[in-house]
Amino acid sequence: MGVTALGWTLTVAVILALLALDLFVGVVRPHAVGFREAIAWSVFYIAVAVIFGLVLAGIVGWGYGTEYFAGYVVEKSLSVDNLFVFVIILSTFAVPQEHQHKVLTFGIIAALILRVIFIALGATLLAFFSFMFLIFGLLLIWTAIQLFRHRNQDPDVENNVLVRATRRLLPVTDEYDGGRLITRLDGRRVVTPLFVVLIAIGGTDILFALDSIPAVFGVTDEPYIVFVANAFALLGLRALYFLVTGLLDRLVYLSVGLALILVFIGVKLVLHWAHVDLDPSVPEISTPVSLAVIIGVLTVTTIASLVKVRRDPDARAHASVVTRGRPRSAETRTRRRQGSEG
């Protein structure tokens, strides 16, 4: 694409301004988010992402514009899966509603930083080693298989390696102390449960970055598009959480849909590797076709989920489990949620 230094600077400035706005709303002015506010912020972030895509397409052409929108849709769908785990973490540790803003904003910033690192690493590997397209493709196919196998399980957050290590190495109080991460108990410094929650969120961000970066490289090999697609998908995550928290359980086939999308992108990467390294006659899958397939799978998944829940009101969705800790049953999750609500 030949993005200039000025282009990168302006893009990063816009993203940082949006992050600053998120920080102001979520940290400086903590409060419980209502449904109307969540809708307003969600519409705002989606509108910003769409406007950016239209401006990008107008400047560099619809070829790159289509790649951006395909990458954005992929990352947005994966971010919904990310929300499942956030819901489990916040309910498991009974995070007060007025502090959920802070946790989610931290999760977004940490995810963005980690994905910048992985984007740089992935772009470098693809530039120097074309067989990395094969590796990324096989990784996505393996991830999809694991996603499908564990589609009816949730991760056990408290048995996460980082959470266990934190509890073992640091003194942790059982009580929240406002929004503090560190407090004093009996004259000594201890960390609060909020500190442990941030550790769990950070560990989750690492694992989701490992999944999402190869996926978005499957629809574009432009680091700039990979970065902005990730950034705009993540920036709306906080508002989307408060908007769809009560609706996430209804997306019972989300894991199946995501598994199909990851398999499709994995095959696309393998075909691209074979086309470049083995035989130019090997067919490739175009970006417009990719975008159509991704949107189609998500549409069918959503409609099928709503039909399933209408026919079976007890049906519930689960967070995807690949390498995100030991799975736990839906009954365990229900008991924890009931306990946190009480």
Side-chain angles (χ1 to χ4, degrees), residues 41-50 68-83 108 115 208 212 215-216 228-241 243-244 248 251 254 258 261 294 298:
W41 281 111
S42 297
V43 171
F44 169 75
Y45 280 115
I46 292 174
V48 169
V50 171
Y68 163 77
F69 281 111
Y72 175 74
V73 172
V74 168
E75 292 305 315
K76 201 67 175 178
S77 61
L78 290 172
S79 72
V80 173
D81 190 35
N82 209 152
L83 287 180
I108 293 169
R115 293 186 189 200
F208 272 102
S212 66
V216 73
V228 293
N230 271 275
F232 285 112
L234 288 172
L235 284 172
L237 198 60
R238 179 190 61 82
L240 189 62
Y241 169 85
L243 178 63
V244 304
L248 285 174
L251 299 177
L254 177 64
L258 290 177
I261 289 173
I294 292 165
L298 290 176

Side-chain angles (χ1 to χ4, degrees), residues 22-309:
D22 234 20
L23 280 172
F24 175 79
V25 174
V27 179
V28 178
R29 202 167 57 86
H31 63 287
V33 178
F35 186 72
R36 289 184 179 180
E37 182 182 351
I39 288 179
W41 281 111
S42 297
V43 171
F44 169 75
Y45 280 115
I46 292 174
V48 169
V50 171
I51 291 172
F52 179 88
L54 295 175
V55 172
L56 179 69
I59 295 174
V60 298
W62 272 101
Y64 289 123
T66 304
E67 290 182 7
Y68 163 77
F69 281 111
Y72 175 74
V73 172
V74 168
E75 292 305 315
K76 201 67 175 178
S77 61
L78 290 172
S79 72
V80 173
D81 190 35
N82 209 152
L83 287 180
F84 271 103
V85 182
F86 281 5
V87 168
I88 292 173
I89 292 174
L90 295 178
S91 61
T92 296
F93 292 97
V95 178
Q97 195 170 21
E98 64 269 23
H99 300 308
Q100 292 180 9
H101 258 306
K102 179 184 292 186
V103 173
L104 292 169
T105 303
F106 167 83
I108 293 169
I109 293 174
L112 189 56
I113 293 172
L114 288 167
R115 293 186 189 200
V116 167
I117 295 172
F118 281 114
I119 288 169
L121 179 61
T124 302
L125 290 174
L126 291 174
F128 285 97
F129 308 104
S130 59
F131 68 86
M132 290 304 301
F133 284 104
L134 173 62
I135 301 300
F136 280 2
L138 295 177
L139 175 63
L140 288 180
I141 293 172
W142 177 86
T143 300
I145 292 172
Q146 298 304 311
L147 197 61
F148 183 80
R149 286 183 56 206
H150 300 292
R151 63 191 180 279
N152 294 320
Q153 298 173 331
D154 287 323
D156 190 346
V157 177
E158 289 188 300
N159 281 310
N160 178 278
V161 174
L162 290 176
V163 173
R164 292 205 313 268
T166 300
R167 291 189 180 277
R168 185 169 59 250
L169 297 175
L170 299 173
V172 182
T173 180
D174 294 328
E175 302 292 334
Y176 286 92
D177 186 8
R180 293 185 177 89
L181 301 179
I182 301 175
T183 187
R184 284 190 175 274
L185 181 66
D186 298 330
R188 65 170 184 160
R189 289 184 179 275
V190 295
V191 299
T192 68
L194 193 60
F195 182 91
V196 181
V197 170
L198 295 185
I199 293 294
I201 291 288
T204 299
D205 283 337
I206 294 174
L207 293 168
F208 272 102
L210 288 172
D211 290 345
S212 66
I213 296 304
V216 73
F217 268 116
V219 295
T220 179
D221 58 1
E222 290 289 340
Y224 179 81
I225 295 179
V226 173
F227 171 71
V228 293
N230 271 275
F232 285 112
L234 288 172
L235 284 172
L237 198 60
R238 179 190 61 82
L240 189 62
Y241 169 85
F242 292 103
L243 178 63
V244 304
T245 296
L247 304 176
L248 285 174
D249 281 349
R250 299 186 181 185
L251 299 177
V252 293
Y253 294 126
L254 177 64
S255 292
V256 176
L258 290 177
L260 290 174
I261 289 173
L262 292 180
V263 165
F264 173 77
I265 297 176
V267 170
K268 183 177 187 294
L269 285 170
V270 172
L271 289 175
H272 177 73
W273 166 79
H275 177 84
V276 173
D277 283 10
L278 296 183
D279 187 350
S281 65
V282 174
E284 292 194 90
I285 302 174
S286 67
T287 300
V289 170
S290 300
L291 180 58
V293 169
I294 292 165
I295 293 177
V297 169
L298 290 176
T299 301
V300 171
T301 297
T302 301
I303 294 174
S305 296
L306 296 178
V307 171
K308 171 67 175 178
V309 172

